[in-house]
Amino acid sequence: MSEKAPRDIERSYSNAEFVAKLRRLADAIESGGRFEIQVGGERIYVPAAARFSVEHERSGEDEEIEFQVKWKLAGEE
């Protein structure tokens, strides 16, 4: 398997688009299936065994909440 190039992409969505993506993610988690999403022109396949977390950051006048989904690439431990 070829190694994937590093990426760090952030994409903004309308409220309706964001809700639809969260709903699809929630459905995949509940059903125990994988989740598919396209980000920056690349289709991402999130395995059912992914780990989920919520991160909160505060700096100066800004606050941020990130919903994170993490998993190991195939063949890595």
Side-chain angles (χ1 to χ4, degrees):
M1 173 188 281
S2 63
E3 186 173 321
K4 293 187 177 188
R7 294 180 83 197
D8 189 356
I9 294 176
E10 183 173 330
R11 171 92 198 281
S12 295
Y13 295 99
S14 70
N15 288 352
E17 290 171 321
F18 187 65
V19 166
K21 290 178 187 314
L22 286 177
R23 189 164 286 127
R24 287 191 313 104
L25 175 60
D27 289 346
I29 294 167
E30 284 182 334
S31 70
R34 77 178 186 178
F35 175 66
E36 297 179 21
I37 187 170
Q38 187 163 330
V39 180
E42 182 176 332
R43 182 151 303 276
I44 310 298
Y45 299 95
V46 180
R51 298 180 324 273
F52 304 94
S53 64
V54 177
E55 182 178 320
H56 174 246
E57 297 177 19
R58 180 181 299 129
S59 176
E61 295 180 4
D62 295 325
E63 290 199 58
E64 180 177 322
I65 291 178
E66 293 181 11
F67 295 91
Q68 297 185 347
V69 181
K70 295 181 182 181
W71 67 96
K72 296 284 185 191
L73 295 175
E76 294 186 11
E77 290 300 320

